[in-house]
Amino acid sequence: MRRTSSCTTRQHSAKRRKRGLWLVIGFSLVLFALQRFDQSIRPLTRQVIQYQCRAQAVRTIQTACNSILEQNSTLYDSLYTIQRDNTGRVQSVAINSARINALEDALVKQVNQSLCQQLLPLRIPLGTLTGIQLFSNLGPEIAIQAQPLSLVSSQVKSDFSQAGVNQTLLEITVCFSVQIGALLAGEVIPVDAQTEVLAAQFLIVGEVPQLYAQTGGSTEKA
């Protein structure tokens, strides 16, 4: 009886060791498969994250600019001056640099605040990262945190163009640039986002001398 009990114990012990070995092998195979899968989709993952992050940053910048321009119409005041002769003919058009700087500062401040407060975690379906069209937008979502890595830099451009007979269109555009960081599995993926916002548009009635039409140029801030 003792010999039978001892054999049974050894058999159970061997089975447990064998089962444990298979569990270790199975776990190792799963880890290996996950690692290979991660390596295969990581380049596409980076591309998707960069695209989504850039699109979100651009939307946030444009929304912030539109919001402050709608709420503060005084930012449009005295952005340019017109000098006319005794007959009312336009002699020159000059950009008011101080007012342009005030407009730019207000936009940049609002954009920086919005990027810090309104950048939400990116949620990307796992199926999208496989690169298979059939699985696009399917599967559980991966949450990826995004945040600014730098303050917004800006550049103001003023442009005159012919809008009709004796009519000139003045457009003031602000170009924004910022670097966003997306955190993925301990890795920070930098994303450069740029966009242009049409801050002001004026129609000047009267012939504008070409010599003065380029007055104003552009300025840049960081």
Side-chain angles (χ1 to χ4, degrees), residues 136-181:
S136 182
N137 296 322
L138 297 179
E141 293 184 337
I142 300 176
I144 299 170
Q145 187 65 45
Q147 61 183 10
L149 296 179
S150 67
L151 293 176
V152 173
S153 62
S154 61
Q155 182 179 19
V156 176
K157 297 180 179 179
S158 58
D159 181 64
F160 292 85
S161 61
Q162 196 69 27
V165 179
N166 291 337
Q167 292 183 341
T168 301
L169 184 65
L170 168 60
E171 293 181 329
I172 298 175
T173 303
V174 183
C175 306
F176 295 96
S177 178
V178 65
Q179 188 174 67
I180 304 296

Side-chain angles (χ1 to χ4, degrees), residues 125 127-130 132-138:
T128 301
L129 303 180
T130 63
I132 302 175
Q133 185 65 31
L134 182 64
F135 298 151
S136 182
N137 296 322
L138 297 179

Side-chain angles (χ1 to χ4, degrees), residues 7-27:
C7 291
T8 304
T9 302
R10 285 197 296 270
Q11 289 176 353
H12 285 308
S13 178
K15 288 182 180 180
R16 285 197 296 269
R17 287 196 297 270
K18 188 176 182 180
R19 189 182 301 113
L21 178 61
W22 279 113
L23 286 175
V24 171
I25 294 174
F27 184 71

Side-chain angles (χ1 to χ4, degrees), residues 3-204:
R3 183 176 300 176
T4 303
S5 176
S6 176
C7 291
T8 304
T9 302
R10 285 197 296 270
Q11 289 176 353
H12 285 308
S13 178
K15 288 182 180 180
R16 285 197 296 269
R17 287 196 297 270
K18 188 176 182 180
R19 189 182 301 113
L21 178 61
W22 279 113
L23 286 175
V24 171
I25 294 174
F27 184 71
S28 299
L29 289 175
V30 170
L31 286 180
F32 178 76
L34 289 175
Q35 184 180 21
R36 293 298 299 271
F37 178 71
D38 179 73
Q39 291 175 350
S40 65
I41 69 171
R42 187 165 287 267
L44 178 61
T45 301
R46 291 176 63 92
Q47 292 179 7
V48 173
I49 290 175
Q50 288 173 337
Y51 173 81
Q52 296 282 3
C53 194
R54 188 177 296 110
Q56 187 184 44
V58 168
R59 286 194 301 268
T60 302
I61 291 173
Q62 293 178 342
T63 300
C65 290
N66 292 336
S67 175
I68 192 171
L69 290 173
E70 290 176 359
Q71 296 174 6
N72 193 354
S73 59
T74 59
L75 292 174
Y76 294 112
D77 294 346
S78 305
L79 293 180
Y80 70 98
T81 57
I82 299 177
Q83 184 176 354
R84 301 178 183 271
D85 59 18
N86 294 332
T87 64
R89 181 184 179 185
V90 176
Q91 290 185 315
S92 66
V93 177
I95 300 297
N96 189 332
S97 297
R99 293 297 303 165
I100 291 292
N101 287 337
L103 170 65
E104 183 181 10
D105 289 342
L107 293 178
V108 169
K109 180 180 179 180
Q110 183 67 30
V111 167
N112 278 322
Q113 290 179 351
S114 297
L115 287 174
C116 291
Q117 298 173 2
Q118 299 180 17
L119 277 182
L120 302 176
L122 301 173
R123 298 191 177 276
I124 304 175
L126 184 60
T128 301
L129 303 180
T130 63
I132 302 175
Q133 185 65 31
L134 182 64
F135 298 151
S136 182
N137 296 322
L138 297 179
E141 293 184 337
I142 300 176
I144 299 170
Q145 187 65 45
Q147 61 183 10
L149 296 179
S150 67
L151 293 176
V152 173
S153 62
S154 61
Q155 182 179 19
V156 176
K157 297 180 179 179
S158 58
D159 181 64
F160 292 85
S161 61
Q162 196 69 27
V165 179
N166 291 337
Q167 292 183 341
T168 301
L169 184 65
L170 168 60
E171 293 181 329
I172 298 175
T173 303
V174 183
C175 306
F176 295 96
S177 178
V178 65
Q179 188 174 67
I180 304 296
L183 183 62
L184 174 65
E187 176 189 7
V188 177
I189 301 176
V191 182
D192 293 321
Q194 297 90 24
T195 188
E196 294 185 357
V197 175
L198 180 61
Q201 189 177 60
F202 305 99
L203 184 64
I204 302 172

